[in-house]
Each structure stands twice: as structure tokens, then as C-alpha cells.
Amino acid sequence: MTKKIIDLRSDTVTKPTPEMREAMARAEVGDDVYGEDPTINRLEALGAEMVGKEAALFVPTGTMGNQVSVMAWTNRGDEIILESSAHIYMYEVGGPAVLSQVQIRPVTGYHGAMDPEDVKSAIRSANIHFPRTSLICMENTHNRSGGCVIPLDNMKAIYDLAKEQGVSVHLDGARVFNAATSLGVDVKEVTRYTDSVQFCLSKGLCAPVGSLVAGPRPFVDRARKCRKLLGGGMRQAGILAAAGIIALEKMVSRLSEDHANAQKLARGLSEIPGLGIDMSTVQSNMVAVEVKGVGMDEVEFSAFMKERGVLFNASLPYKVRMVTHHDVSSEDIDEAIERIKDALRG
Ligand SMILES: *Cc1c(COP(=O)(O)O)cnc(C)c1O
């Protein structure tokens, strides 16, 4: 009997559910560049409503969602403030520099949260030598810190000072529904502290493709034009939006299961000699595991467990990241813990 592979690399590996496949096959479609795809229009209206914004735009990826947002809020030569390990800064191929021609001002955070005082002092004054600060980006949950949740009072403090200074705020909310789940609030309680938000349908929510960008109508109109510029004007993409609608209507409420599985995984692994876990950082569907004590580095350890049917990614020096999601069950988590325990004992 071949062992089942337990894939904890990312929540992006989730496959569309049978209900999504069904809805995709049946979706009513039209040419979305003409604004005529009823399913996309429905998804955009639903997404905007859920996050409490005026309008939304369907984009193929979170990366494009963030990049059209940066482009729509800024002018060439502006400066944007970001946390120093933000996805937009680390993992989007230099998009802000290449596409929007803006300069990034990184601010080092704690578990992904920037100190509002640091943000305040990073905002440029009107001095002739300075670029204009036009945008502050936050990220919730924060990916590189291992899925940490940015507290609402931190978001509020940064949002309030941005508004005082006339600076726009964008939230990279790839996993904003995980943030809301972890905080035990409606997602609007998170998105009220940002002007625009990008959120992924294709991660824990299981849609095959797509993200939404939501914000005020004039911003979304500009973002739509930026999407066209980047080659992201889509035609009968309602077949994708159909899965996105199910992602928003049916998949949000089950994210708490992924969080419970992450807690279980973290507790189980923390009892294995050689593995180290800071339980205080296990806040959503990710577990960062320190592997120094097992005599392997992060790349060696992930290759070692891959041979034993447990997949996860090397993330930082001597750290691996495991992500729980719809396609790993509570039993799979028990099995993953057992396999790791056995492999290290053996
Ligand atoms: C995954 C992710 C993105 C990008 O989404 P893609 O759909 O992979 O382009 C952006 N920001 C964060 C925080 C992410 O985790």
C-alpha cells in the first residue's frame, strides 16, 4: 500500500471542491472586458459587500491584486511604507519598482506588526528633497512571520495616523479571513482599517484561481484600468468566478478547522525532541518549526520527510513552515505527527 502524501506546503495546494466544479460547469458567462460577465459581476458585488467596501475587482492572483492596488494609489517616484518582510516587498518580483516605479521604505515589525511610531516617523514631510509618501501597506495575516495576526488596535493606530497625514492604506489580506477567524470578528472589523484590500480566493478558500481587490469606487476603476495594462483583462472568466462565489459563501466558516489543526500539529510536534515551536506564534493556519535540534538544516529536513510522505517548505534558516488547509484532515495531522516522530526516532 502506498502511503498517502500529506501536503503541508501551503494552503494554495487545495483543489476546487466538487460543488465548485459543478458551479463552474454551469456558470453563466459573458465578456468581462465589456462588463458583461454576470458571474464575475456577482462575485465582485459579493466580495465588496463582505469586506464593507464600495466596489471590487476580480484579478487572477494575489500578486496582481496587490500590484494594481499599488499602481492605483501611487504616482511614479512616490514612496510606499511596508513591513520589512511583507509579501509585496519580498515575493512579488520587485513589482512596485518595475510596474509602479515607486520606492519602498521598509519598516521592521514585530511578528509582522509595524510600530505606529515607526510608521509615523517614516512618513515624509514636504521637504523638496523627499519623495512623497502616498501609501502604507499592512499584511494580515502576516505570511513570513508564520501566519501571525496583526492586532486590530495596531491596524487602527496606523490607519488613523495615515488618514491624518493624507496617506492611503492598502491591506494585503491574502488570508484576511484567517485573520478575522483568529480574532473572532467579522472580516469588516479588520477591513475597516484600510482603504483597499486584496484577498485570495485560491488559498484556504479552495477556489482554483483568483483574488479580489476591494475599495472605494474611484480606486477600483483605476485598478481595473491597471489590470488591463498588465494584461489582466479577462473574457468569460465567470467560470472561475463561480468557484470564487462558493469560496466566499461556503468556505470561510470552516477556516476555524484549519486553525484547530494547526494548534494540534504544533502541540504534537512540540513534544518531539529536537523540534522547537514558539506556540505564541501559532495564530492561524501555519506552524513555524525550528529544526536545528534534529541535526539537519531546513532543506535537509524537508527532503528527509518528503521521502516519508510529509511535504512542507523550508522557510528560514533552520526553520520549516507547515500549513493546514481544507485538504488535510484532523486524522492526517495525527498521521503527519506520527511519521515525523517515527522518522526521527528511527
Ligand atoms: C500568497 C500571497 C500573496 C500572493 O498571492 P498569489 O495568488 O500567489 O499571487 C500575496 N500576499 C500574501 C501575504 C500571500 O500570502
Side-chain angles (χ1 to χ4, degrees):
M1 205 179 75
T2 53
K3 265 190 187 172
K4 180 187 177 186
I5 289 174
I6 301 168
D7 193 344
L8 300 168
R9 288 172 301 167
S10 176
D11 45 11
T12 56
V13 303
T14 44
K15 306 236 170 86
T17 62
E19 192 183 358
M20 287 177 178
R21 299 251 190 193
E22 188 69 21
M24 292 171 79
R26 280 198 322 264
E28 259 188 86
V29 295
D31 190 330
D32 182 54
V33 175
Y34 294 155
E36 289 173 3
D37 190 301
T39 310
I40 292 187
N41 292 342
R42 203 146 59 82
L43 172 66
E44 290 178 345
L46 172 66
E49 195 272 319
M50 281 176 82
V51 297
K53 302 295 176 199
E54 217 178 343
L57 173 72
F58 183 54
V59 288
T61 64
T63 300
M64 192 188 281
N66 285 331
Q67 295 303 322
V68 298
S69 299
V70 171
M71 200 180 269
W73 283 128
T74 61
N75 289 309
R76 183 166 67 112
D78 286 353
E79 188 165 75
I80 69 174
I81 296 172
L82 293 161
E83 199 281 323
S84 60
S85 59
H87 194 282
I88 294 174
Y89 182 42
M90 297 292 292
Y91 301 120
E92 299 189 8
V93 210
V98 177
L99 304 170
S100 301
Q101 301 181 34
V102 294
Q103 166 167 296
I104 283 178
R105 182 84 176 270
V107 168
T108 302
Y110 177 73
H111 292 168
M114 297 179 283
D115 184 331
E117 285 305 315
D118 294 343
V119 175
K120 192 172 182 181
S121 50
I123 295 174
R124 304 284 196 157
S125 63
N127 187 305
I128 193 173
H129 299 87
F130 293 162
R132 181 178 77 108
T133 303
S134 50
L135 184 66
I136 298 168
C137 299
M138 293 188 267
E139 184 176 312
N140 206 2
T141 61
H142 189 270
N143 188 338
R144 203 167 145 100
S145 68
C148 285
V149 179
I150 310 303
L152 293 179
D153 59 350
N154 180 267
M155 288 191 68
K156 179 180 191 309
I158 290 171
Y159 184 65
D160 287 349
L161 79 90
K163 295 300 96 182
E164 269 164 37
Q165 306 277 330
V167 176
S168 299
V169 176
H170 173 69
L171 176 65
D172 179 354
R175 295 184 182 83
V176 73
F177 290 101
N178 293 88
T181 298
S182 180
L183 290 162
V185 299
D186 186 274
V187 70
K188 289 188 196 74
E189 295 303 311
V190 182
T191 53
R192 64 191 286 200
Y193 302 121
T194 187
D195 297 308
S196 64
V197 56
Q198 177 281 121
F199 52 99
C200 292
L201 307 168
S202 59
K203 292 186 169 167
L205 303 183
C206 299
V209 175
S211 283
L212 285 167
V213 175
R217 172 76 60 189
F219 158 82
V220 171
D221 290 344
R222 287 197 302 278
R224 190 177 295 277
K225 195 151 173 143
C226 296
R227 184 187 69 174
K228 189 75 182 129
L229 168 66
L230 299 181
M234 294 177 284
R235 305 296 179 178
Q236 289 76 26
I239 56 164
L240 303 174
I245 290 169
I246 293 169
L248 290 179
E249 286 182 341
K250 305 273 177 80
M251 306 306 283
V252 171
S253 64
R254 61 153 305 286
L255 291 174
S256 55
E257 294 171 32
D258 299 342
H259 294 194
N261 279 337
Q263 289 294 327
K264 174 157 116 164
L265 178 64
R267 280 195 308 272
L269 295 178
S270 68
E271 286 165 13
I272 299 176
L275 298 180
I277 289 160
D278 176 354
M279 288 299 295
S280 75
T281 66
V282 185
Q283 299 177 9
S284 59
N285 66 331
M286 296 185 189
V287 182
V289 187
E290 158 102 48
V291 302
K292 213 168 212 158
V294 301
M296 284 178 258
D297 71 18
E298 69 285 2
V299 177
E300 291 163 343
F301 185 58
S302 40
F304 174 76
M305 283 314 303
K306 186 178 176 188
E307 284 173 22
R308 290 155 180 82
V310 182
L311 308 188
F312 46 79
N313 286 336
S315 56
L316 294 165
Y318 292 101
K319 279 210 166 159
V320 298
R321 186 191 77 164
M322 302 185 192
V323 184
T324 57
H325 53 77
H326 177 264
D327 298 354
V328 289
S329 64
S330 177
E331 293 73 40
D332 292 336
I333 296 299
D334 292 329
E335 173 70 18
I337 296 166
E338 279 313 306
R339 284 190 205 168
I340 293 170
K341 200 183 281 177
D342 285 350
L344 290 173
R345 196 189 287 135

